[in-house]
Amino acid sequence: MTELGELGLSSYEEKVYRTLLVTGAVTAAELSDTSGVPKGRIYDVLNGLEARKLIWRQSSDPNRYVAVQPETVVDRLLAERAYELKQEWDRYREKAETVRSNLLPTPPTESSFWLGSLGSDEMSTALQQHMRTAENVVKATVGPPYEDATWETLQSEVEGFFEGANTDLSVDLLFSEKAVTVLPDRFPHLIENQPANITVRTTPEIALSFDIVDNVETTIDVLHPVSGEDRIGVIGIKDSQVVSEFEQYFQRLWTDAVPLLE
């Protein structure tokens, strides 16, 4: 391939242009004879070169054609190639985006999982450490599987939950009506003795138990697949969209709930 060919001229276009540089203004018929481009193709070639502003046509009878100066032609051909390369680059970039969205796996959500049945020592310790990460606010729902447990089973977890809370923390606790029946008579006194600012409400029913820490993480109790009165563990999720969805769900429940402790 010639240098002009690499810049975008076909073999016929190059023959016509180089011929015009030598002959000066000539008719299409003369140019066909001189350049060797067939008469059946000469007008297509001339029209293409003229449309790209590489030659120009004199208004005469018959029309004569003149070559544009080589410096200008090279610049125009280079600009055409640059544009074509940009179009090709954009096409490949769009193709890459399609591959990313359709074929590549989605990065996993940042999460963690703790094994622990209700009332277990390891879960009591995990809850205490979990609460120590909270700086401003914790919102928690208490529903299944706590509803079918005894206070003796839950006591260590509840105490671990409160022991981890710092004095500046605001805690909103939402119990299902069934979970309230598990609480001991001394529960109001337990709340009053906590350093954190704790508000407790109750609602008829809660689908699952979870908490939200500083609106950046939510932990969800995972019911045991075999023993419905227990859990298999707790999963923690920091994905902002998931946390936002649980925050909105909590607020809907909280708005309709009634105070448990006056």
Side-chain angles (χ1 to χ4, degrees), residues 174-241:
L174 183 60
F175 285 83
S176 70
E177 291 180 352
K178 189 174 180 181
V180 170
T181 64
V182 179
L183 301 176
D185 293 338
R186 64 184 181 86
F187 184 74
H189 181 69
L190 178 65
I191 296 297
E192 291 173 0
N193 288 339
Q194 300 305 320
N197 179 24
I198 301 173
T199 304
V200 185
R201 293 185 183 181
T202 182
T203 190
E205 186 176 358
I206 294 175
L208 76 169
S209 299
F210 64 91
D211 69 34
I212 305 165
V213 175
D214 292 331
N215 291 333
V216 297
E217 180 179 14
T218 183
T219 61
I220 307 163
D221 286 78
V222 181
L223 296 182
H224 200 292
V226 177
S227 176
E229 298 180 357
D230 201 353
R231 64 156 178 254
I232 193 171
V234 176
I235 185 171
I237 301 176
K238 292 185 178 180
D239 180 85
S240 59
Q241 182 175 348

Side-chain angles (χ1 to χ4, degrees), residues 54 60 92 113 184 198:
L54 305 181
S60 58
Y92 278 118
F113 183 76
I198 301 173

Side-chain angles (χ1 to χ4, degrees), residues 14-27:
E14 182 174 353
K15 287 180 179 180
V16 167
Y17 180 74
R18 289 187 179 277
T19 300
L20 286 175
L21 287 177
V22 175
T23 62
V26 292
T27 65

Side-chain angles (χ1 to χ4, degrees), residues 52-111:
R52 295 163 68 184
K53 298 182 180 180
L54 305 181
I55 65 173
W56 58 280
R57 179 173 45 177
Q58 291 180 342
S59 296
S60 58
D61 189 15
N63 291 324
R64 294 178 179 273
Y65 296 87
V66 180
V68 172
Q69 290 299 312
E71 294 83 357
T72 302
V73 167
V74 171
D75 288 343
R76 288 175 179 169
L77 289 174
L78 184 60
E80 287 179 1
R81 298 298 282 175
Y83 177 77
E84 291 170 359
L85 288 172
K86 182 181 182 303
Q87 294 294 102
E88 191 72 359
W89 166 249
D90 290 343
R91 187 178 71 83
Y92 278 118
R93 187 165 55 183
E94 290 177 3
K95 187 69 65 177
E97 289 301 322
T98 301
V99 170
R100 288 192 186 98
S101 61
N102 294 340
L103 298 181
L104 298 182
T106 302
T109 298
E110 183 180 356
S111 62

